[in-house]
Amino acid sequence: MSRPPLEIAAYEANDGYQSVHKIAAGLSSNDVLETIKGSGLKGRGGAGFPTGLKWSFVPQGENSPQQKYLVVNADEMEPGTFKDRLLMEGDPHLLLEGMIIAAYTIGASKAYIFLRGEYTTSVRTLKNAIAEAYDKGYLGKNILNTGFDLDIILHTSAGRYICGEETALLNALEGKRANPRAKPPFPQVSGLWGKPTIVNNVETICNLPGILTYGIDWYKGLGQGADAGTKLFGVSGRVKNPGCWEMPLGVSIRELLEEKAGGMQDGLGLKAFLPGGGSTDFMLPEHLDIALDYDEIAKVGSRLATGTMIILDDQTCPVGMVGNLMKFFAHESCGFCTPCRDGLPWVDAIFREFEEGRGSEKDLQILREHVDYMGPGRTFCALAPGATAPLGSGLKYFEDDFKAHIKQKRCPYKH
Amino acid sequence: MSTQVIATTKNRARQLTEEEIAEIEHEKTLYPDNQAVGLEALKIVQKYQGWVSDESLMAIADYLDLSAADLEGVATFFNLVYRQPVGKNVILFCNSVSCWICRCDDIKDHISKKLDIDFGQTTEDNEFTFIPVPCLGDCDNAPVMMVGDDLHRNLTPEKVDEIITQYRNKSA
Amino acid sequence: MAKIVIDGKEYEVDPNNNLLQECLSQGLDLPYFCWHPCMGSVGACRQCAVKQYRDENDETGTIVMACMTPATDGAIISIEDEQAHDMRERVIESLMISHPHDCPVCEEGGECHLQDMTLMSGHNYRRYDKKKVTHRNQYLGPFINHEMNRCITCYRCVRYYDDYAGGTDLSAQASHHHTYFGRHEEGVLESEFSGNLVEVCPTGVFTDKLFSDHYTRKWDLQAAPSVCVGCSVGCNTTPGERYGTLRRIVNRYNSEVNGYFLCDRGRFGWDHVNSEERINSPVAVSNGEFSDLNDEGVQQLLADLKSGDAIAIGSPRASNESNYALRCLVGVENFYAGVSDREHEVNKLMLQLHRDSAFNIPSVRDIANADAVLIVGEDVTNTAPRIALALRQSIRNKASELAAENNIPGWQDAAVRELAQHNRSPLFILSNAATRLDDVAVETTTGSYSDQARIAYAVANAIAGQSNDEFGLSESQQSLVEDISQALKSAKRPLLVTGSSNGEGELIKAAANVARALKSDTPTDLCLIVPEVNTLGLEMLTHTENKLGVALSKCTAGEVKKLVVLENDLYRRAATADVDAALAKVENVIVLDQMPTATTAKANHVLPVTAFSEHEATYVNYEGRAQLSFQVHRTQTGAMPAWRWLSDGKDDVNAIINRCAEEASDFDHLDDLVPHLSQFAAGLKIPRQSHRYSGRTAMIANLDVHEPKQPIDDESVMSFSMEGMPSMKDASILGTTWAPSWNSNQSISKFQEEVNGELKQGHTGTLLIIKNSNDGSFFAPALSDAGSAEQLTLSWAFQIFGSDELSARSTAIQARMTDAYVGLSPADAERLGIKQGQPVSIDGAATAIACVREQVAAGNCIVYCGEQLNPNDFGSAVAIAKSDSSAGERGITGLIVSDLLEESY
Ligand SMILES: Cc1cc2nc3c(=O)[nH]c(=O)nc-3n(C[C@H](O)[C@H](O)[C@H](O)COP(=O)(O)O)c2cc1C
Ligand code: SF4
Ligand code: FES
């Protein structure tokens, strides 16, 4: 695989920053907005919300607040998700170019990259790239004589999964406890320091330069199914060749798993998988021929979300895997709303009991109740509902395993 | 008669160092509000001191005119702000799902045994503090951990031994 | 108005509210925790889940949080829906997983919102059998206990303490299910409104330390509606008594006055009632010998008084009834003001302004609604604390405006705050020194009275479009004047706040000029703060000419044989030498009071009078609002209300109130306050004891096995018993509010027209003062500066804990008091070689502690008298010097000023 360029000169030599030159040549912010809307780009942060549509909610015009912000969500803490890191470590200028496009479109003169603190390599590459971009006049005052100003500030997080939730992220950026905020009002209207703000995922932003440089048709043509463009797909777990690949949206899961990831390691079978990170519902081997696109996966009750798959093999305990996720979610709950704050620790405690061979039917029933109790709409933000995805589907698909734990009074996978 | 002292921060705060102040002042140029700088200042102080003591926290609150209580609320919220002393090297050990599937528990046990510490503890020689961390975003190289700023991938017990020796030698 | 459907029934609701608030306003039961009528919604607890349907055809519906959903026209919801019910039950179940279930030993037990909501939600069986999370508690000072294990993480405490009351030393800490609410380290909670945490917390995390110290169940308290006597705001309270001792005070809702909140002076400053020092029986003193005065002796004394040659001094801390009875006894011409001459003059000026139709005297609710405020020379936090809390809300009106412009509902608390950031409605302060409101003020300017008055006069001129040349203002002062006048002029509801604590008429006149200049079609809000609970009532009963000084001179001149002093320590009202000289010349000094004072020490006869909770009485607050305070319990001493002593034990309180209403001008409507039995069904009385009051038949069985007859209260609509009106709806006459399923203070919503609105049958008091039809005119400034090279211009400082005579004799308050101090500017301190905390002398005699503050203007000194100094002993300028003699023992550690942290001096 040929590495994308880290240095700005090489990046420019590969059509880098073309979109900024287009803007300098007179492309209006409205043109950009229409292009992005037309491209069908959906957010890659997990929710898959159309990016252009989101931008169009930012109030514009004389009476709108002068200060607007762009925030890049580079918090990437979803278990099993490792795609934004690759973009930032491997192609930092792509992100910066995308940010310039986004900021220009919504009229933001200040942009923050909210970067996970543990991503020390990304800190280095991004710092370097930002300095280069300032040097070349792509950032700062009056960019390429457009009259447009943009400052990019790299912010490293002090670490909490909830910071990835866009409104909690804004609180964290403001130096507050990262509890999420109520929506409405949406950040597009009242976000960072009460000003209109767009939060986009790193990968979403990295899609922008291509769309502007090569056009809508090119971009749409990249997708194989209903969705436009390509996406980073990852596979982790006990497969032969775990990794992350850019592929068209719409390729089959089987292609990703068997051709790219090389299938299961020797001696292991595929038991199930989470298609897009820890907050998605389990899928089964019977789903392997489903296309990796937003709607197709939704049809079988899961979500494409981050597109990074976690593979469960047949010699790893599914109850343990769900338990591992529950421990994570319980610990990462921000503590603001009751079902999540107090529901998840209970769920977690029950999984510890199962692990020790003390699980009971009564506990199993309590787990089932918590799936509804912490579901969408019941909690303040989407963290707990995210946790109910593997929990609910796990209870459904692995009932036998749960029962075996109860019956054998131990974990049947432990030898 | 005994008097009730209204606790104030100033008399217990330490002096911030010049470097710390310089960096905090720089952060002030990046954010429109001191509250945002407060969180940055905690990180800055931690960078120099290893952790955030009560005295440091109060010093920041005083310097930025923030409520010490609020700052404490922030400091204790985030995983990477240490409100207790840590060893020279902090091991951030990923125990999230992909690493777990790839048997990180075995590696964890190995480290625990080797260093004679559990999660949350520091070795007696003050070399290592062992902390679990949510998914480090390097799942295709599971199991992984960070020591200080460096990432270590595809861990095996042998590899862990090497890494530990390496850090021990570094500080020796 | 909008129409919504709740469980199949149609209701008319206010679309600007959320569904929870509207459900409660409609009298429906819907559990909640994190929401509060004064603090809006944040959606944290998820307790108020209901089912909402898109339209009639939607059969599934979705679960929503009522508090986070607007009550839009056409909304269809169900509270009873099974899923919604189930959700609420789960929420309770899970937020109680780590709750200690220590209800039997919890101060909140029996009036616990959590207990109520648990039952209401249907959770009654504990399934959680894993480990509980436990916490360490903190020492939070003399007022409040901390028991974090009971916490249900509703975030109300920090939202009240920080966001509403402006505190900075309580926060949410840690996270997930370890979330903790406390200080950054142990120590006294600094906010002077910390006591409200007790009522804001829906369970027993923050409880009343005084109450715990002699705890009893809520239902075992004998209680009645009362009025706080701590300052002139007249907050409504409910004191509770058992076994003859007062146990606690809680807030009593009055939409116009205190709403849901009290200050800590009011909540914790009452145990002087239980004091060992109380005067127990009538005494005669001759040649330093005390002897008990029997009934005959008392009768003789009174007969003697009636003979005509007595004069009397009234009291601003005594009721209208006692002052009026005294006035009747000696005749209006012999009834003198019980306040210093300076204050008397200022009070008269304020009464004149009360009558002026150019001004509206705002209620506390009005004050919170102001959208631009200028405070002229009054340290509101320390003189009328509850008003300071209201002013703190006024600055948020800007946020509400911005929210409305951006279509964010006002009840979306966090969103409104985020949108507004540091945008506030303007508050300007002219002051002697730093104040506790400085953190929300656009600017606080400190200087001498004349400096302050000068600026205020100039603001009035600027608003009226007149020149300010006469004042010789500096450039920065001129621009401040511009800013203030602009802010006030462009406001919809501008407010002026001033008061008499400085004893300086010029400040009040200047403020009145500003208000007059602002007047358009409607009168301008002008808040005139007076120091004590009945200062205004006393002034209304006292002739302008009848100054205290005149009375004392007459005494000194030997013209007075008999002097009656009503509930007053004259050594707080006039110069020590003058009082000494006067008392020495009077043959018979008769003092009626609750506790020994410097004045009772000089008396020939002392008659013990009842404390506020021991009698029914009316008081007139700063607005001229007369309020009725019921008797809560019988006194354990030989005390009687002063009016009863003075009327020979013959009058009853209703008779006095009626007579006062008939005879005293301005008091015409005083008798409107008194409810009559005929108003109530079957003429039943209102019980002071709850229907669950325990052990009445056996309460004193250890002393006497015969059950004592319940005392009869002939004079009041209330009875000393459990029997009476079975389902009373009028919260202004109830001992405590209670409604089926609602044992906590949250039951109040069942008594309100709508949540946070007026009480259903409630009486908010009666505004007594009648406006004149003809407007007054602008005052001409008469400013002079007192200071010189040797002397510093003196002005006064006050302390919420200490400045009020009676609360200062309560133990919890004493733990927060400071000694007398002198505030100095750094420049003067340096010149005089004085350091922070050192003893200093004032005019070579009195000692106090130096308190060096940036916010004191050079050439000025700010004196806080504490219990040690008599303010009337000083002139308008004093000489300050280092002193060797030691000051008090307390020092100045508990100072309530906002520059608390200036410790580098
Ligand atoms: C608990 C939680 C964690 C999240 N973490 C991330 C994250 O780490 N990175 C991210 O881009 N989005 C994350 N999201 C989604 C964001 O809230 C938001 O939808 C996203 O940043 C929007 O970007 P997009 O429109 O470009 O997809 C998270 C959401 C939730 C509820
Ligand atoms: S679901 Fe509630 S407690 Fe959990 S992270 Fe979101 S807001 Fe916080
Ligand atoms: S009262 Fe509605 S969520 Fe707490």
Side-chain angles (χ1 to χ4, degrees):
Chain A
M1 184 173 101
S2 68
R3 277 193 63 81
L6 280 174
E7 279 78 35
I8 195 161
Y11 181 73
E12 284 178 318
N14 281 290
D15 287 354
Y17 288 111
Q18 277 310 309
S19 62
V20 188
H21 289 287
K22 279 196 177 170
I23 288 169
L27 194 66
S28 76
S29 57
N30 208 42
D31 294 341
V32 184
L33 179 63
E34 289 310 317
T35 309
I36 300 306
K37 271 193 191 161
S39 74
L41 170 64
K42 286 183 184 168
R44 304 293 198 239
F49 193 82
T51 306
L53 186 60
K54 190 190 234 179
W55 291 3
S56 67
F57 297 139
V58 174
Q60 299 292 352
E62 297 253 305
N63 291 332
S64 70
Q66 280 306 297
Q67 182 70 59
K68 300 180 180 73
Y69 293 105
L70 170 71
V71 177
V72 172
N73 190 342
D75 196 45
E76 194 159 70
M77 280 179 82
E78 179 81 15
T81 301
F82 52 105
K83 61 184 187 70
D84 298 341
R85 175 203 277 273
L86 298 177
L87 289 167
M88 293 182 290
E89 290 182 359
D91 201 357
H93 283 290
L94 186 65
L95 177 63
L96 300 188
E97 183 178 350
M99 287 176 73
I100 297 168
I101 296 166
Y104 173 72
T105 313
I106 62 167
S109 59
K110 221 172 190 188
Y112 290 90
I113 301 174
F114 189 94
L115 176 64
R116 206 180 157 179
E118 292 93 335
Y119 279 12
T120 48
T121 309
S122 302
V123 172
R124 279 194 299 276
T125 50
L126 283 171
K127 265 195 179 156
N128 205 15
I130 291 170
E132 287 183 321
Y134 270 104
D135 271 354
K136 285 271 187 160
Y138 291 123
L139 292 176
K141 291 256 170 296
N142 192 14
I143 295 167
L144 305 185
N145 285 321
T146 50
F148 168 61
D149 306 335
L150 178 64
D151 284 316
I152 291 183
I153 296 151
L154 182 63
H155 172 103
T156 51
S157 170
R160 273 316 279 262
Y161 168 60
I162 190 61
C163 294
E165 199 284 334
E166 57 181 356
T167 58
L169 181 152
L170 298 178
N171 277 336
L173 254 181
E174 292 181 16
K176 299 177 181 160
R177 292 165 62 79
N179 297 321
R181 297 177 182 173
K183 295 190 268 194
F186 290 90
Q188 294 91 298
V189 177
S190 174
L192 197 54
W193 292 293
K195 297 289 184 281
T197 304
I198 284 292
V199 183
N200 273 132
N201 170 256
V202 169
E203 189 188 348
T204 312
I205 296 283
C206 287
N207 271 275
L208 302 173
I211 297 172
L212 272 213
T213 307
Y214 305 118
I216 294 179
D217 294 339
W218 169 83
Y219 186 74
K220 285 194 155 166
L222 293 177
Q224 281 186 5
D227 287 312
T230 58
K231 164 127 200 35
L232 293 183
F233 291 108
V235 180
S236 65
R238 298 208 283 176
V239 294
K240 284 211 179 83
N241 178 30
C244 184
W245 301 272
E246 180 177 354
M247 293 167 78
L249 274 161
V251 296
S252 75
I253 297 174
R254 188 181 296 282
E255 186 180 338
L256 175 66
L257 187 57
E258 291 176 0
E259 284 174 29
K260 297 289 180 188
M264 301 305 292
Q265 285 178 12
D266 293 339
L268 301 179
L270 173 65
K271 171 113 179 170
F273 59 95
L274 299 176
S279 306
T280 53
D281 293 73
F282 279 101
M283 290 170 72
L284 300 175
E286 68 200 57
H287 300 130
L288 278 179
D289 290 313
I290 284 175
L292 284 162
D293 91 9
Y294 291 95
D295 291 345
E296 292 303 308
I297 293 195
K299 278 185 199 150
V300 295
S302 191
R303 291 187 309 128
L304 180 60
T306 63
T308 41
M309 269 181 203
I310 307 162
I311 309 296
L312 172 67
D313 57 78
D314 58 2
Q315 285 172 39
T316 299
C317 175
V319 176
M321 174 172 172
V322 179
N324 175 280
L325 287 164
M326 294 306 113
K327 193 182 208 60
F328 165 84
F329 285 115
H331 185 268
E332 293 304 317
S333 165
C334 80
F336 190 65
C337 72
T338 308
C340 173
R341 178 192 61 240
D342 295 324
L344 283 168
W346 194 351
V347 167
D348 178 38
I350 291 174
F351 274 96
R352 292 320 116 215
E353 301 274 345
F354 268 89
E355 211 166 73
E356 302 292 326
R358 289 193 302 265
S360 67
E361 277 296 340
K362 182 190 135 204
D363 279 346
L364 201 53
Q365 179 53 29
I366 290 172
L367 290 183
R368 287 191 197 104
E369 285 175 22
H370 274 78
V371 177
D372 270 348
Y373 171 46
M374 303 186 301
R378 309 286 181 106
T379 55
F380 192 76
C381 83
L383 184 143
T388 63
L391 177 62
S393 55
L395 285 167
K396 184 168 76 187
Y397 293 141
F398 312 130
E399 188 169 356
D400 290 348
D401 288 292
F402 280 94
K403 296 246 151 110
H405 279 74
I406 297 174
K407 204 158 167 215
Q408 300 178 27
K409 295 197 182 345
R410 66 182 198 97
C411 172
Y413 290 82
K414 271 190 196 150
H415 301 291
Chain B
M1 199 197 128
S2 71
T3 59
Q4 304 288 341
V5 179
I6 294 200
T8 58
T9 55
K10 203 161 216 164
N11 45 4
R12 292 198 42 213
R14 70 171 174 88
Q15 201 64 40
L16 292 174
T17 66
E18 263 172 45
E19 291 113 316
E20 287 166 345
I21 288 177
E23 285 199 38
I24 292 171
E25 284 299 319
H26 172 67
E27 293 297 326
K28 275 191 182 173
T29 64
L30 305 180
Y31 301 88
D33 197 290
N34 262 12
Q35 186 160 21
V37 182
L39 176 54
E40 297 310 288
L42 289 168
K43 291 190 277 181
I44 291 166
V45 162
Q46 178 161 303
K47 186 174 88 182
Y48 286 103
Q49 315 293 334
W51 65 296
V52 179
S53 65
D54 288 354
E55 290 72 17
S56 295
L57 185 121
M58 291 177 191
I60 296 169
D62 268 351
Y63 186 77
L64 293 172
D65 199 15
L66 298 171
S67 136
D70 281 352
L71 197 60
E72 175 75 329
V74 170
T76 52
F77 185 92
F78 292 98
N79 291 337
L80 297 179
V81 178
Y82 308 140
R83 287 290 277 113
Q84 280 170 12
V86 291
K88 269 183 223 147
N89 304 293
V90 175
I91 301 175
L92 294 178
F93 186 87
C94 177
N95 62 351
S96 284
V97 64
S98 301
C99 285
W100 180 84
I101 290 173
C102 296
R103 304 300 187 256
C104 72
D105 281 356
D106 296 344
I107 309 289
K108 189 245 154 184
D109 290 345
H110 182 77
I111 297 177
S112 274
K113 223 183 266 161
K114 184 161 174 85
L115 296 178
D116 195 22
I117 48 173
D118 206 342
F119 279 151
Q121 297 177 335
T122 301
T123 51
E124 250 172 44
D125 59 3
N126 206 34
E127 280 292 324
F128 297 99
T129 297
F130 194 25
I131 300 177
V133 70
C135 176
L136 280 171
D138 210 23
C139 318
D140 47 345
N141 298 300
V144 296
M145 68 179 188
M146 288 181 83
V147 184
D149 278 354
D150 306 319
L151 189 63
H152 300 276
R153 307 171 140 155
N154 298 313
L155 298 175
T156 59
E158 298 73 38
K159 227 170 169 179
V160 165
D161 290 349
E162 257 171 55
I163 294 165
I164 289 174
T165 321
Q166 199 186 312
Y167 281 89
R168 279 238 158 90
N169 290 342
K170 225 199 249 171
S171 55
Chain C
M1 277 294 151
K3 283 199 176 119
I4 66 169
V5 175
I6 308 171
D7 288 314
K9 217 176 135 193
E10 200 172 82
Y11 295 87
E12 289 234 325
V13 298
D14 180 350
N16 296 318
N17 285 336
N18 58 67
L19 287 172
L20 171 61
Q21 180 158 357
E22 284 307 316
C23 285
L24 295 173
S25 284
Q26 300 297 339
L28 302 169
D29 286 349
L30 180 57
Y32 60 91
F33 288 112
C34 63
W35 174 85
H36 187 284
C38 289
M39 298 188 278
S41 311
V42 288
C45 72
R46 318 309 278 177
Q47 186 62 65
C48 62
V50 294
K51 184 67 97 38
Q52 182 167 31
Y53 301 91
R54 252 174 296 124
D55 49 46
E56 290 93 25
N57 303 323
D58 178 4
E59 280 176 8
T60 15
T62 38
I63 296 287
V64 298
M65 295 307 129
C67 75
M68 296 298 276
T69 313
T72 25
D73 197 32
I76 307 174
I77 61 165
S78 167
I79 297 175
E80 285 163 15
D81 171 80
E82 200 179 309
Q83 269 188 341
H85 185 276
D86 205 50
M87 173 71 186
R88 298 193 298 262
E89 191 179 332
R90 290 285 84 78
V91 169
I92 281 276
E93 178 180 37
S94 70
L95 54 73
M96 294 244 284
I97 62 177
S98 287
H99 189 79
H101 292 77
D102 61 343
C103 307
V105 297
C106 176
E107 292 89 334
E108 197 81 0
E111 56 176 333
C112 175
H113 186 58
L114 174 59
Q115 284 178 339
D116 287 351
M117 297 302 102
T118 303
L119 254 83
M120 196 179 286
S121 305
H123 164 64
N124 55 8
Y125 178 75
R126 184 174 165 74
R127 295 189 296 174
Y128 184 74
D129 54 5
K130 315 287 182 251
K131 258 200 179 138
K132 289 182 180 186
V133 176
T134 55
H135 302 277
R136 283 220 175 83
N137 301 317
Q138 291 180 327
Y139 165 79
L140 296 177
F143 298 155
I144 308 261
N145 299 309
H146 195 218
E147 179 42 270
M148 258 307 292
N149 293 316
R150 298 177 185 145
C151 179
I152 54 161
T153 328
C154 69
Y155 289 83
R156 258 195 190 184
C157 56
V158 286
R159 292 182 58 228
Y160 162 73
Y161 191 92
D162 297 357
D163 299 348
Y164 189 88
T168 55
D169 60 331
L170 186 75
S171 66
Q173 293 160 24
S175 62
H176 50 88
H177 63 314
H178 295 148
T179 306
Y180 184 89
F181 300 92
R183 284 176 46 92
H184 70 288
E185 59 181 358
E186 293 198 307
V188 179
L189 278 175
E190 287 170 13
S191 168
E192 51 282 352
F193 302 102
S194 65
N196 295 314
L197 286 174
V198 172
E199 293 188 52
V200 161
C201 173
T203 173
V205 177
F206 299 98
T207 52
D208 180 334
K209 215 172 212 170
L210 284 68
F211 190 38
S212 320
D213 283 350
H214 48 194
Y215 178 67
T216 188
R217 293 293 192 197
K218 171 199 185 179
W219 59 83
D220 286 343
L221 287 168
Q222 176 165 284
S226 183
V227 171
C228 177
V229 295
C231 80
S232 70
V233 179
C235 292
N236 292 199
T237 60
T238 306
E241 172 264 11
R242 181 141 176 107
Y243 281 119
T245 55
L246 206 52
R247 302 295 174 97
R248 69 163 182 188
I249 279 182
V250 292
N251 183 74
R252 178 167 64 94
Y253 182 85
N254 181 325
S255 60
E256 290 306 304
V257 186
N258 45 300
Y260 292 84
F261 305 120
L262 298 175
C263 81
D264 288 356
R265 177 194 278 179
R267 188 182 296 270
F268 301 115
W270 47 260
D271 87 341
H272 56 90
V273 174
N274 301 339
S275 172
E276 303 257 310
E277 286 182 61
R278 285 285 296 275
I279 301 165
N280 267 309
S281 54
V283 282
V285 194
S286 77
N287 302 324
E289 296 284 313
F290 290 80
S291 56
D292 277 352
L293 202 59
N294 58 17
D295 284 357
E296 254 166 60
V298 173
Q299 296 216 335
Q300 209 169 4
L301 191 67
L302 286 169
D304 204 26
L305 281 178
K306 281 189 197 139
S307 65
D309 47 357
I311 71 166
I313 296 172
S315 168
R317 64 169 156 87
S319 66
N320 292 317
E321 293 68 38
S322 292
N323 277 299
Y324 179 69
L326 182 57
R327 190 179 100 165
C328 289
L329 184 77
V330 296
V332 64
E333 65 288 354
N334 293 320
F335 182 75
Y336 288 86
V339 299
S340 75
D341 290 357
R342 271 172 83 106
E343 191 196 321
H344 180 59
E345 207 161 298
V346 174
N347 290 345
K348 288 296 177 197
L349 169 65
M350 291 202 284
L351 263 180
Q352 179 193 329
L353 298 175
H354 270 265
R355 299 185 205 288
D356 194 320
S357 54
F359 311 121
N360 173 53
I361 311 294
S363 68
V364 179
R365 176 172 283 236
D366 294 337
I367 290 171
N369 284 332
D371 60 351
V373 182
L374 172 62
I375 301 177
V376 184
E378 188 73 17
D379 180 4
V380 184
T381 305
N382 285 312
T383 62
R386 182 61 184 82
I387 289 182
L389 189 58
L391 287 168
R392 223 171 240 293
Q393 310 318 310
S394 79
I395 60 130
R396 292 206 64 227
N397 287 314
K398 178 76 188 173
S400 312
E401 257 172 53
L402 288 171
E405 283 166 21
N406 285 276
N407 295 322
I408 298 173
W411 44 263
Q412 277 278 16
D413 187 57
V416 174
R417 282 174 197 281
E418 193 58 43
L419 178 78
Q421 294 288 314
H422 301 295
N423 280 304
R424 300 177 178 130
S425 303
L427 164 68
F428 291 91
I429 303 176
L430 305 174
S431 170
N432 308 338
T435 81
R436 285 284 269 184
L437 288 170
D438 295 357
D439 59 325
V440 287
V442 181
E443 194 163 338
T444 300
T445 308
T446 55
S448 66
Y449 304 143
S450 41
D451 292 337
Q452 297 169 46
R454 200 170 280 127
I455 291 171
Y457 276 127
V459 169
N461 280 1
I463 291 169
Q466 278 155 17
S467 130
N468 273 324
D469 296 347
E470 59 179 304
F471 298 118
L473 299 176
S474 70
E475 219 167 276
S476 65
Q477 285 173 325
Q478 189 58 50
S479 89
L480 174 68
V481 166
E482 271 312 308
D483 290 351
I484 299 175
S485 48
Q486 270 313 322
L488 293 173
K489 266 201 299 198
S490 45
K492 289 191 206 74
R493 299 173 306 277
L495 164 69
L496 271 290
V497 180
T498 187
S500 64
S501 64
N502 279 305
E504 190 45 69
E506 285 301 307
L507 290 172
I508 291 157
K509 289 177 180 169
N513 275 9
V514 180
R516 199 182 299 285
L518 284 168
K519 178 187 176 284
S520 51
D521 306 340
T522 48
T524 316
D525 281 349
L526 173 64
C527 172
L528 301 164
I529 293 169
V530 292
E532 285 159 88
V533 60
N534 204 27
T535 302
L536 222 51
L538 172 65
E539 285 301 342
M540 286 156 62
L541 287 167
T542 318
H543 198 281
T544 315
E545 304 303 320
N546 284 12
K547 294 184 196 168
L548 178 61
V550 174
L552 295 179
S553 310
K554 277 192 176 169
C555 294
T556 313
E559 291 165 24
V560 177
K561 295 231 158 36
K562 292 164 260 174
L563 171 69
V564 189
V565 181
L566 173 66
E567 304 186 42
N568 212 335
D569 178 6
L570 300 180
Y571 291 93
R572 298 173 78 101
R573 312 289 182 185
T576 309
D578 293 349
V579 180
D580 280 345
L583 295 183
K585 283 290 177 68
V586 179
E587 266 173 31
N588 190 1
V589 178
I590 301 147
V591 181
L592 298 96
D593 216 334
Q594 302 170 40
M595 307 250 257
T597 66
T599 306
T600 59
K602 296 271 166 83
N604 303 93
H605 292 96
V606 182
L607 301 176
V609 299
T610 42
F612 74 94
S613 55
E614 297 166 342
H615 55 231
E616 184 163 323
T618 68
Y619 306 95
V620 183
N621 85 345
Y622 77 95
E623 305 165 76
R625 183 185 302 272
Q627 301 191 94
L628 180 67
S629 176
F630 285 93
Q631 181 182 3
V632 178
H633 58 111
R634 287 170 311 140
T635 180
Q636 298 293 298
T637 67
M640 293 203 287
W643 55 261
R644 203 186 292 278
W645 285 118
L646 297 170
S647 67
D648 227 356
K650 285 189 196 98
D651 261 339
D652 101 349
V653 68
N654 300 306
I656 299 212
I657 290 176
N658 288 339
R659 198 134 43 89
C660 184
E662 256 165 51
E663 290 170 14
S665 52
D666 273 331
F667 282 88
D668 303 26
H669 292 286
L670 191 67
D671 51 349
D672 293 357
L673 291 172
V674 184
H676 297 285
L677 276 186
S678 55
Q679 286 170 236
F680 311 136
L684 283 176
K685 286 202 161 206
I686 318 297
R688 287 181 173 90
Q689 298 164 356
S690 80
H691 51 294
R692 296 180 55 197
Y693 196 79
S694 12
R696 193 176 81 197
T697 56
M699 275 177 80
I700 57 156
N702 59 331
L703 305 174
D704 183 354
V705 293
H706 300 287
E707 183 195 343
K709 193 167 167 331
Q710 275 312 104
I712 307 276
D713 187 345
D714 281 337
E715 299 178 31
S716 163
V717 295
M718 301 198 82
S719 67
F720 290 107
S721 79
M722 306 153 64
E723 294 84 9
M725 183 70 82
S727 64
M728 183 65 206
K729 293 207 180 61
D730 187 342
S732 67
I733 320 181
L734 271 183
T736 34
T737 58
W738 176 90
S741 308
W742 298 79
N743 297 287
S744 78
N745 56 11
Q746 307 288 310
S747 62
I748 191 67
S749 71
K750 300 281 176 191
F751 296 83
Q752 295 165 324
E753 288 284 358
E754 58 183 351
V755 165
N756 205 7
E758 265 213 64
L759 291 176
K760 275 176 184 150
Q761 291 93 342
H763 203 305
T764 57
T766 301
L767 292 170
L768 292 179
I769 303 173
I770 295 162
K771 296 272 178 203
N772 290 335
S773 47
N774 51 336
D775 287 4
S777 51
F778 284 95
F779 294 104
L783 300 166
S784 64
D785 287 297
S788 65
E790 296 79 40
Q791 298 202 310
L792 298 174
T793 306
L794 178 150
S795 52
W796 304 115
F798 297 85
Q799 291 285 306
I800 177 172
F801 306 125
S803 289
D804 168 62
E805 190 181 345
L806 287 176
S807 62
R809 300 178 87 157
S810 299
T811 40
I813 298 289
Q814 281 170 347
R816 295 285 305 272
M817 277 159 51
T818 72
D819 286 318
Y821 66 78
V822 177
L824 293 170
S825 68
D828 287 323
E830 180 159 6
R831 181 171 56 83
L832 297 166
I834 295 169
K835 294 214 164 56
Q836 174 83 318
Q838 283 182 341
V840 293
S841 68
I842 309 173
D843 283 342
T847 33
I849 295 176
C851 178
V852 187
R853 297 280 183 230
E854 296 279 5
Q855 282 276 56
V856 174
N860 289 273
C861 69
I862 320 297
V863 176
Y864 168 66
C865 292
E867 300 152 295
Q868 294 95 341
L869 308 180
N870 177 349
N872 305 288
D873 288 342
F874 306 110
S876 51
V878 288
I880 304 292
K882 252 207 288 212
S883 159
D884 297 331
S885 52
S886 76
E889 291 166 333
R890 289 198 183 95
I892 49 172
T893 45
L895 277 189
I896 297 292
V897 288
S898 55
D899 55 350
L900 207 58
L901 300 182
E902 268 189 55
E903 283 179 349
S904 42
Y905 288 105

